[in-house]
Amino acid sequence: MSITDELRQYAYGYETMVNHRLLGIADRIDLAHERAIADAELCAAPTEGQMEELGYVALPVDADGVPIHVGDVMEGYGKTIEVVELRYGRSGWVLISGDGNGYADTSAFAHHHSPTVVDMLYEMYDRLDDPSGDDRNRTIEEIVTEYAAKLQLREGA
């Protein structure tokens, strides 16, 4: 039994005037509850089907399933691009880069993340720990000097 049903049951044992006031309070409580449920449903993220009914189209996603927006910096096909336009046509989404090239395979791209100092230090460690390719003929000092040029201490540090 809900709290408002309990209030209504309690109200029936009183005089008519008190009964009507208590029933009115119960009705207002139920109405507020219904409004709260409706508000929660409106604020909930719409399903893909609801989005389609409203005429919306889902954004393209990258290789990791992350939505792509205009202004995002992406890596794919061995290059880094900035998305300046998104086009949607019969064949699906096309990313347009700053140089005017179009890319239809959005899943070939991933969002670009600038390397952190920690990333660079791990990269240097890996190169020092297991030199291969060009690093095979380089000294530790040469590799460390390369990374020292990329990394600088902040003022006052």
Side-chain angles (χ1 to χ4, degrees):
M1 174 184 305
S2 74
I3 190 80
T4 52
D5 288 340
E6 190 176 332
L7 180 61
R8 285 187 179 91
Q9 187 178 16
Y10 179 77
Y12 288 122
Y14 283 93
E15 301 173 17
T16 305
M17 189 173 95
V18 172
N19 178 299
H20 286 297
R21 284 188 80 187
L22 290 174
L23 291 175
I25 292 169
D27 290 342
R28 287 197 313 271
I29 292 169
D30 280 343
L31 182 60
H33 179 70
E34 289 170 10
R35 284 183 180 158
I37 290 172
D39 287 348
E41 289 173 353
L42 284 174
C43 292
T47 65
E48 197 167 316
Q50 291 169 325
M51 294 288 287
E52 277 184 29
E53 286 176 21
L54 295 170
Y56 289 95
V57 177
L59 288 171
V61 293
D62 69 2
D64 301 318
V66 178
I68 300 171
H69 300 88
V70 170
D72 287 353
V73 177
M74 309 296 294
E75 294 177 346
Y77 296 111
K79 56 178 103 177
T80 301
I81 66 164
E82 179 184 359
V83 178
V84 296
E85 185 180 340
L86 293 170
R87 291 185 189 164
Y88 186 73
R90 287 181 290 193
S91 59
W93 285 105
V94 176
L95 306 179
I96 307 299
S97 65
D99 58 6
N101 290 324
Y103 303 92
D105 186 7
T106 63
S107 64
F109 287 89
H111 281 82
H112 170 74
H113 300 287
S114 297
T116 65
V117 171
V118 172
D119 294 335
M120 293 179 75
L121 291 173
Y122 274 116
E123 180 183 307
M124 182 180 74
Y125 174 80
D126 289 341
R127 288 175 64 186
L128 292 171
D129 186 47
D130 183 23
S132 60
D134 294 338
D135 290 335
R136 223 176 289 164
N137 299 324
R138 297 179 71 197
T139 66
I140 291 173
E141 290 78 19
E142 289 173 326
I143 295 173
V144 169
T145 302
E146 176 188 335
Y147 281 88
K150 295 178 184 180
L151 302 171
Q152 295 178 6
L153 293 178
R154 283 190 226 155
E155 288 293 320

